[in-house]
PDB file of all heavy atoms in Angstrom:
ATOM      1  N   ASP A  34     328.356 219.956 352.299  1.00 86.00           N
ATOM      2  CA  ASP A  34     327.555 220.489 351.262  1.00 86.00           C
ATOM      3  C   ASP A  34     327.878 219.786 349.935  1.00 86.00           C
ATOM      4  O   ASP A  34     326.912 219.533 349.152  1.00 86.00           O
ATOM      5  CB  ASP A  34     327.786 222.022 351.118  1.00 86.00           C
ATOM      6  CG  ASP A  34     327.440 222.804 352.315  1.00 86.00           C
ATOM      7  OD1 ASP A  34     326.351 222.531 352.852  1.00 86.00           O
ATOM      8  OD2 ASP A  34     328.131 223.706 352.652  1.00 86.00           O
ATOM      9  N   ALA A  42     322.822 215.268 342.638  1.00 92.00           N
ATOM     10  CA  ALA A  42     323.200 215.043 341.157  1.00 92.00           C
ATOM     11  C   ALA A  42     322.791 213.599 340.851  1.00 92.00           C
ATOM     12  O   ALA A  42     322.365 213.323 339.713  1.00 92.00           O
ATOM     13  CB  ALA A  42     324.657 215.388 341.007  1.00 92.00           C
ATOM     14  N   ALA A  47     319.660 209.736 337.760  1.00 91.00           N
ATOM     15  CA  ALA A  47     318.785 208.575 337.698  1.00 91.00           C
ATOM     16  C   ALA A  47     317.419 208.828 337.104  1.00 91.00           C
ATOM     17  O   ALA A  47     316.900 208.023 336.363  1.00 91.00           O
ATOM     18  CB  ALA A  47     318.623 207.963 339.129  1.00 91.00           C
ATOM     19  N   TYR A  49     316.827 211.589 334.888  1.00 90.00           N
ATOM     20  CA  TYR A  49     316.849 212.103 333.461  1.00 90.00           C
ATOM     21  C   TYR A  49     317.860 211.456 332.568  1.00 90.00           C
ATOM     22  O   TYR A  49     317.704 211.597 331.308  1.00 90.00           O
ATOM     23  CB  TYR A  49     317.259 213.676 333.617  1.00 90.00           C
ATOM     24  CG  TYR A  49     316.097 214.432 334.195  1.00 90.00           C
ATOM     25  CD1 TYR A  49     316.136 214.860 335.567  1.00 90.00           C
ATOM     26  CD2 TYR A  49     314.977 214.697 333.508  1.00 90.00           C
ATOM     27  CE1 TYR A  49     315.125 215.548 336.116  1.00 90.00           C
ATOM     28  CE2 TYR A  49     313.855 215.419 334.061  1.00 90.00           C
ATOM     29  CZ  TYR A  49     314.035 215.888 335.412  1.00 90.00           C
ATOM     30  OH  TYR A  49     312.939 216.555 335.988  1.00 90.00           O
ATOM     31  N   ILE A  54     319.957 210.734 324.538  1.00 82.00           N
ATOM     32  CA  ILE A  54     320.434 209.763 323.490  1.00 82.00           C
ATOM     33  C   ILE A  54     321.878 209.491 323.797  1.00 82.00           C
ATOM     34  O   ILE A  54     322.663 210.208 324.398  1.00 82.00           O
ATOM     35  CB  ILE A  54     320.245 210.382 322.059  1.00 82.00           C
ATOM     36  CG1 ILE A  54     321.067 211.759 321.930  1.00 82.00           C
ATOM     37  CG2 ILE A  54     318.800 210.636 321.745  1.00 82.00           C
ATOM     38  CD1 ILE A  54     320.986 212.256 320.462  1.00 82.00           C
ATOM     39  N   LYS A  55     322.254 208.230 323.341  1.00 80.00           N
ATOM     40  CA  LYS A  55     323.591 207.788 323.623  1.00 80.00           C
ATOM     41  C   LYS A  55     324.733 208.552 323.043  1.00 80.00           C
ATOM     42  O   LYS A  55     325.818 208.514 323.579  1.00 80.00           O
ATOM     43  CB  LYS A  55     323.698 206.245 323.236  1.00 80.00           C
ATOM     44  CG  LYS A  55     322.780 205.374 324.022  1.00 80.00           C
ATOM     45  CD  LYS A  55     322.876 203.912 323.571  1.00 80.00           C
ATOM     46  CE  LYS A  55     321.891 203.087 324.354  1.00 80.00           C
ATOM     47  NZ  LYS A  55     321.848 201.684 324.076  1.00 80.00           N
ATOM     48  N   SER A  57     325.030 211.691 322.904  1.00 83.00           N
ATOM     49  CA  SER A  57     325.158 213.011 323.624  1.00 83.00           C
ATOM     50  C   SER A  57     326.296 212.913 324.590  1.00 83.00           C
ATOM     51  O   SER A  57     326.342 211.978 325.394  1.00 83.00           O
ATOM     52  CB  SER A  57     323.897 213.324 324.300  1.00 83.00           C
ATOM     53  OG  SER A  57     323.956 214.561 324.987  1.00 83.00           O
ATOM     54  N   ARG A  61     327.664 214.529 330.890  1.00 82.00           N
ATOM     55  CA  ARG A  61     327.124 213.186 331.098  1.00 82.00           C
ATOM     56  C   ARG A  61     328.131 212.483 331.946  1.00 82.00           C
ATOM     57  O   ARG A  61     329.313 212.555 331.730  1.00 82.00           O
ATOM     58  CB  ARG A  61     326.953 212.527 329.764  1.00 82.00           C
ATOM     59  CG  ARG A  61     326.029 213.226 328.722  1.00 82.00           C
ATOM     60  CD  ARG A  61     324.508 212.946 329.017  1.00 82.00           C
ATOM     61  NE  ARG A  61     324.206 211.530 329.029  1.00 82.00           N
ATOM     62  CZ  ARG A  61     323.869 210.816 327.914  1.00 82.00           C
ATOM     63  NH1 ARG A  61     324.026 211.377 326.758  1.00 82.00           N
ATOM     64  NH2 ARG A  61     323.493 209.643 328.090  1.00 82.00           N
ATOM     65  N   PRO A  62     327.668 211.553 332.834  1.00 81.00           N
ATOM     66  CA  PRO A  62     328.570 210.755 333.572  1.00 81.00           C
ATOM     67  C   PRO A  62     329.294 209.743 332.671  1.00 81.00           C
ATOM     68  O   PRO A  62     328.665 209.150 331.826  1.00 81.00           O
ATOM     69  CB  PRO A  62     327.632 210.032 334.512  1.00 81.00           C
ATOM     70  CG  PRO A  62     326.289 210.145 333.994  1.00 81.00           C
ATOM     71  CD  PRO A  62     326.230 211.371 333.140  1.00 81.00           C
ATOM     72  N   ASN A  65     333.265 212.447 328.114  1.00 87.00           N
ATOM     73  CA  ASN A  65     334.073 213.696 328.168  1.00 87.00           C
ATOM     74  C   ASN A  65     334.212 214.280 326.807  1.00 87.00           C
ATOM     75  O   ASN A  65     333.863 213.607 325.822  1.00 87.00           O
ATOM     76  CB  ASN A  65     335.271 213.456 328.877  1.00 87.00           C
ATOM     77  CG  ASN A  65     336.233 212.428 328.231  1.00 87.00           C
ATOM     78  OD1 ASN A  65     336.419 212.464 327.006  1.00 87.00           O
ATOM     79  ND2 ASN A  65     336.764 211.412 328.985  1.00 87.00           N
ATOM     80  N   ALA A  69     333.979 212.809 322.767  1.00 86.00           N
ATOM     81  CA  ALA A  69     333.155 213.443 321.741  1.00 86.00           C
ATOM     82  C   ALA A  69     333.944 213.795 320.537  1.00 86.00           C
ATOM     83  O   ALA A  69     333.534 213.557 319.379  1.00 86.00           O
ATOM     84  CB  ALA A  69     332.525 214.729 322.332  1.00 86.00           C
ATOM     85  N   GLU A  76     333.159 209.740 312.668  1.00 83.00           N
ATOM     86  CA  GLU A  76     331.929 209.951 311.871  1.00 83.00           C
ATOM     87  C   GLU A  76     332.106 210.736 310.676  1.00 83.00           C
ATOM     88  O   GLU A  76     331.595 210.504 309.542  1.00 83.00           O
ATOM     89  CB  GLU A  76     330.805 210.586 312.734  1.00 83.00           C
ATOM     90  CG  GLU A  76     329.508 210.769 312.060  1.00 83.00           C
ATOM     91  CD  GLU A  76     328.864 209.463 311.568  1.00 83.00           C
ATOM     92  OE1 GLU A  76     329.073 208.411 312.215  1.00 83.00           O
ATOM     93  OE2 GLU A  76     328.100 209.514 310.554  1.00 83.00           O
ATOM     94  N   GLY A  79     336.564 211.907 306.072  1.00 77.00           N
ATOM     95  CA  GLY A  79     336.492 211.767 304.621  1.00 77.00           C
ATOM     96  C   GLY A  79     335.112 212.140 303.937  1.00 77.00           C
ATOM     97  O   GLY A  79     334.938 212.103 302.770  1.00 77.00           O
ATOM     98  N   ILE A  84     333.576 221.961 309.123  1.00 74.00           N
ATOM     99  CA  ILE A  84     332.831 221.653 310.284  1.00 74.00           C
ATOM    100  C   ILE A  84     332.472 223.047 310.888  1.00 74.00           C
ATOM    101  O   ILE A  84     333.312 223.939 310.974  1.00 74.00           O
ATOM    102  CB  ILE A  84     333.643 220.920 311.312  1.00 74.00           C
ATOM    103  CG1 ILE A  84     333.897 219.512 310.735  1.00 74.00           C
ATOM    104  CG2 ILE A  84     332.860 220.814 312.615  1.00 74.00           C
ATOM    105  CD1 ILE A  84     334.857 218.677 311.652  1.00 74.00           C
ATOM    106  N   GLU A  86     331.085 224.947 314.237  1.00 74.00           N
ATOM    107  CA  GLU A  86     330.807 224.768 315.693  1.00 74.00           C
ATOM    108  C   GLU A  86     329.862 225.879 316.197  1.00 74.00           C
ATOM    109  O   GLU A  86     329.975 227.016 315.758  1.00 74.00           O
ATOM    110  CB  GLU A  86     332.080 224.903 316.428  1.00 74.00           C
ATOM    111  CG  GLU A  86     331.910 224.800 317.987  1.00 74.00           C
ATOM    112  CD  GLU A  86     333.238 224.934 318.685  1.00 74.00           C
ATOM    113  OE1 GLU A  86     334.250 225.318 318.104  1.00 74.00           O
ATOM    114  OE2 GLU A  86     333.206 224.787 319.906  1.00 74.00           O
ATOM    115  N   ASN A  95     321.645 232.089 332.203  1.00 89.00           N
ATOM    116  CA  ASN A  95     320.332 232.663 331.923  1.00 89.00           C
ATOM    117  C   ASN A  95     319.161 231.746 332.125  1.00 89.00           C
ATOM    118  O   ASN A  95     318.037 231.979 331.606  1.00 89.00           O
ATOM    119  CB  ASN A  95     320.332 233.144 330.444  1.00 89.00           C
ATOM    120  CG  ASN A  95     321.271 234.229 330.222  1.00 89.00           C
ATOM    121  OD1 ASN A  95     321.157 235.363 330.748  1.00 89.00           O
ATOM    122  ND2 ASN A  95     322.363 234.068 329.520  1.00 89.00           N
ATOM    123  N   HIS A  98     314.750 230.374 336.641  1.00 94.00           N
ATOM    124  CA  HIS A  98     314.393 229.534 337.814  1.00 94.00           C
ATOM    125  C   HIS A  98     313.021 229.040 337.849  1.00 94.00           C
ATOM    126  O   HIS A  98     312.803 227.810 338.149  1.00 94.00           O
ATOM    127  CB  HIS A  98     314.701 230.370 339.084  1.00 94.00           C
ATOM    128  CG  HIS A  98     316.170 230.689 339.258  1.00 94.00           C
ATOM    129  ND1 HIS A  98     316.604 231.475 340.309  1.00 94.00           N
ATOM    130  CD2 HIS A  98     317.246 230.342 338.534  1.00 94.00           C
ATOM    131  CE1 HIS A  98     317.868 231.632 340.222  1.00 94.00           C
ATOM    132  NE2 HIS A  98     318.312 230.991 339.182  1.00 94.00           N
ATOM    133  N   LEU A 105     311.135 220.475 336.553  1.00 96.00           N
ATOM    134  CA  LEU A 105     311.509 219.480 337.616  1.00 96.00           C
ATOM    135  C   LEU A 105     310.201 218.893 338.240  1.00 96.00           C
ATOM    136  O   LEU A 105     310.195 217.680 338.478  1.00 96.00           O
ATOM    137  CB  LEU A 105     312.426 220.063 338.640  1.00 96.00           C
ATOM    138  CG  LEU A 105     313.788 220.413 338.168  1.00 96.00           C
ATOM    139  CD1 LEU A 105     314.592 221.153 339.246  1.00 96.00           C
ATOM    140  CD2 LEU A 105     314.592 219.200 337.703  1.00 96.00           C
ATOM    141  N   ARG A 108     308.529 215.680 336.933  1.00 95.00           N
ATOM    142  CA  ARG A 108     309.175 214.353 337.210  1.00 95.00           C
ATOM    143  C   ARG A 108     309.445 214.071 338.633  1.00 95.00           C
ATOM    144  O   ARG A 108     309.713 212.980 339.059  1.00 95.00           O
ATOM    145  CB  ARG A 108     310.314 214.203 336.342  1.00 95.00           C
ATOM    146  CG  ARG A 108     310.238 214.369 334.907  1.00 95.00           C
ATOM    147  CD  ARG A 108     309.803 213.174 334.095  1.00 95.00           C
ATOM    148  NE  ARG A 108     310.613 211.970 334.110  1.00 95.00           N
ATOM    149  CZ  ARG A 108     311.602 211.778 333.251  1.00 95.00           C
ATOM    150  NH1 ARG A 108     311.909 212.700 332.311  1.00 95.00           N
ATOM    151  NH2 ARG A 108     312.308 210.727 333.370  1.00 95.00           N
ATOM    152  N   GLY A 116     312.658 222.131 347.158  1.00 96.00           N
ATOM    153  CA  GLY A 116     313.055 223.267 347.929  1.00 96.00           C
ATOM    154  C   GLY A 116     314.599 223.489 348.098  1.00 96.00           C
ATOM    155  O   GLY A 116     315.050 224.522 348.056  1.00 96.00           O
ATOM    156  N   TRP A 121     319.493 226.366 346.313  1.00 91.00           N
ATOM    157  CA  TRP A 121     320.772 226.381 345.572  1.00 91.00           C
ATOM    158  C   TRP A 121     320.687 227.461 344.444  1.00 91.00           C
ATOM    159  O   TRP A 121     321.638 228.195 344.207  1.00 91.00           O
ATOM    160  CB  TRP A 121     321.112 225.070 345.048  1.00 91.00           C
ATOM    161  CG  TRP A 121     321.704 224.153 346.078  1.00 91.00           C
ATOM    162  CD1 TRP A 121     322.299 224.393 347.282  1.00 91.00           C
ATOM    163  CD2 TRP A 121     321.649 222.719 345.997  1.00 91.00           C
ATOM    164  NE1 TRP A 121     322.624 223.269 347.940  1.00 91.00           N
ATOM    165  CE2 TRP A 121     322.212 222.244 347.168  1.00 91.00           C
ATOM    166  CE3 TRP A 121     321.121 221.804 345.074  1.00 91.00           C
ATOM    167  CZ2 TRP A 121     322.326 220.847 347.399  1.00 91.00           C
ATOM    168  CZ3 TRP A 121     321.265 220.452 345.381  1.00 91.00           C
ATOM    169  CH2 TRP A 121     321.839 220.003 346.537  1.00 91.00           C
ATOM    170  N   LEU A 122     319.600 227.530 343.804  1.00 91.00           N
ATOM    171  CA  LEU A 122     319.378 228.504 342.751  1.00 91.00           C
ATOM    172  C   LEU A 122     319.603 229.969 343.166  1.00 91.00           C
ATOM    173  O   LEU A 122     320.015 230.853 342.509  1.00 91.00           O
ATOM    174  CB  LEU A 122     318.129 228.322 341.958  1.00 91.00           C
ATOM    175  CG  LEU A 122     317.984 227.048 341.068  1.00 91.00           C
ATOM    176  CD1 LEU A 122     316.613 226.846 340.600  1.00 91.00           C
ATOM    177  CD2 LEU A 122     319.027 227.083 339.908  1.00 91.00           C
ATOM    178  N   LYS A 123     319.075 230.173 344.380  1.00 88.00           N
ATOM    179  CA  LYS A 123     319.095 231.519 345.011  1.00 88.00           C
ATOM    180  C   LYS A 123     320.325 231.829 345.794  1.00 88.00           C
ATOM    181  O   LYS A 123     320.474 232.890 346.375  1.00 88.00           O
ATOM    182  CB  LYS A 123     317.823 231.745 345.864  1.00 88.00           C
ATOM    183  CG  LYS A 123     316.522 231.639 345.097  1.00 88.00           C
ATOM    184  CD  LYS A 123     316.387 232.718 344.100  1.00 88.00           C
ATOM    185  CE  LYS A 123     315.086 232.646 343.369  1.00 88.00           C
ATOM    186  NZ  LYS A 123     314.928 233.576 342.266  1.00 88.00           N
ATOM    187  N   ASP A 128     331.804 237.178 344.309  1.00 84.00           N
ATOM    188  CA  ASP A 128     332.614 237.547 343.136  1.00 84.00           C
ATOM    189  C   ASP A 128     333.958 237.948 343.459  1.00 84.00           C
ATOM    190  O   ASP A 128     334.421 237.810 344.637  1.00 84.00           O
ATOM    191  CB  ASP A 128     331.884 238.689 342.320  1.00 84.00           C
ATOM    192  CG  ASP A 128     331.996 240.047 343.087  1.00 84.00           C
ATOM    193  OD1 ASP A 128     332.657 240.196 344.057  1.00 84.00           O
ATOM    194  OD2 ASP A 128     331.377 241.038 342.528  1.00 84.00           O
ATOM    195  N   ILE A 133     328.806 239.717 347.383  1.00 89.00           N
ATOM    196  CA  ILE A 133     327.868 238.720 347.143  1.00 89.00           C
ATOM    197  C   ILE A 133     326.770 239.156 346.167  1.00 89.00           C
ATOM    198  O   ILE A 133     326.135 240.168 346.340  1.00 89.00           O
ATOM    199  CB  ILE A 133     327.251 238.310 348.496  1.00 89.00           C
ATOM    200  CG1 ILE A 133     328.226 237.783 349.451  1.00 89.00           C
ATOM    201  CG2 ILE A 133     326.139 237.305 348.344  1.00 89.00           C
ATOM    202  CD1 ILE A 133     327.793 237.455 350.841  1.00 89.00           C
ATOM    203  N   GLU A 137     318.950 236.271 340.037  1.00 85.00           N
ATOM    204  CA  GLU A 137     317.529 236.124 339.764  1.00 85.00           C
ATOM    205  C   GLU A 137     317.203 234.996 338.782  1.00 85.00           C
ATOM    206  O   GLU A 137     316.155 234.535 338.672  1.00 85.00           O
ATOM    207  CB  GLU A 137     316.999 237.433 339.219  1.00 85.00           C
ATOM    208  CG  GLU A 137     316.949 238.583 340.172  1.00 85.00           C
ATOM    209  CD  GLU A 137     316.087 238.375 341.405  1.00 85.00           C
ATOM    210  OE1 GLU A 137     314.935 237.851 341.174  1.00 85.00           O
ATOM    211  OE2 GLU A 137     316.510 238.663 342.526  1.00 85.00           O
ATOM    212  N   CYS A 140     322.290 229.519 336.858  1.00 84.00           N
ATOM    213  CA  CYS A 140     322.677 228.414 337.934  1.00 84.00           C
ATOM    214  C   CYS A 140     324.006 228.857 338.449  1.00 84.00           C
ATOM    215  O   CYS A 140     325.015 228.708 337.815  1.00 84.00           O
ATOM    216  CB  CYS A 140     322.816 227.039 337.211  1.00 84.00           C
ATOM    217  SG  CYS A 140     321.234 226.440 336.582  1.00 84.00           S
TER     218      CYS A 140
END
Side-chain angles (χ1 to χ4, degrees):
D34 297 319
Y49 292 103
I54 60 174
K55 292 179 182 179
S57 175
R61 303 279 302 279
N65 61 48
E76 182 64 30
I84 296 175
E86 179 184 4
N95 294 293
H98 293 176
L105 291 172
R108 303 277 294 272
W121 284 336
L122 289 171
K123 298 294 182 189
D128 74 4
I133 297 174
E137 294 295 319
C140 296

